[in-house]
Amino acid sequence: QVQLVESGGGQVQAGGSLRLACAGSTNTYSNRCITWFRQAPGKERDGVAGIYTGTVSPYYADSVKGRFTISQDNAKSTVYLQMNSLKPEDTAMYFCAATIEFQGCAPMNPTRYSRWGQGTQVTVSS
């Protein structure tokens, strides 16, 4: 079955908020890092925020600290990304990804993540 599915993207004006969700399955969710990446056209895929499932140890890219909050609902095998005070530069396709079991969240290099969702588009207008 599908491993990771993102939802919650959309189009908002600058200063608005969105909450993204990354739903996984139990056998691909626990004891690993789930990280949100984003990629805009012509740019590389960069890590945004991550969390090691089963713990409370979130991490964030400097560009989103104080604005984004990552959280988890382990009973639902879901990781959320609450995005507040959105800026036009946040516009990108957002992906969630998972490491293999027992691999941590750092560094946030895409090559360390073996499972990916299909992506959800976030567009922030100025």
Side-chain angles (χ1 to χ4, degrees):
Q1 204 170 39
V2 65
Q3 296 179 346
L4 298 169
V5 178
E6 304 97 330
S7 62
Q11 186 170 4
V12 298
Q13 296 198 51
S17 298
L18 288 171
R19 189 176 76 155
L20 308 183
C22 174
S25 58
T26 56
N27 66 335
T28 59
Y29 175 86
S30 61
N31 300 311
R32 67 196 71 217
C33 183
I34 305 294
T35 290
W36 287 96
F37 291 83
R38 64 186 181 186
Q39 186 171 26
K43 298 182 179 179
E44 64 184 11
R45 187 170 297 187
D46 293 325
V48 176
I51 192 166
Y52 195 88
T53 56
T55 71
V56 185
S57 57
Y59 68 95
Y60 302 94
D62 289 341
S63 60
V64 305
K65 287 181 179 177
R67 299 189 298 121
F68 291 8
T69 302
I70 191 168
S71 62
Q72 62 186 317
D73 185 338
N74 291 329
K76 298 180 179 179
S77 298
T78 300
V79 171
Y80 301 95
L81 184 67
Q82 179 67 46
M83 305 185 295
N84 298 326
S85 301
L86 283 163
K87 304 175 180 179
E89 51 262 45
D90 296 318
T91 295
M93 183 73 75
Y94 283 70
F95 302 87
C96 66
T99 64
I100 65 172
E101 195 172 22
F102 303 121
Q103 285 198 346
C105 291
M108 290 190 293
N109 297 323
T111 55
R112 297 184 64 249
Y113 292 78
S114 60
R115 297 170 179 83
W116 293 81
Q118 83 287 352
T120 185
Q121 179 67 38
V122 172
T123 301
V124 184
S125 59
S126 60

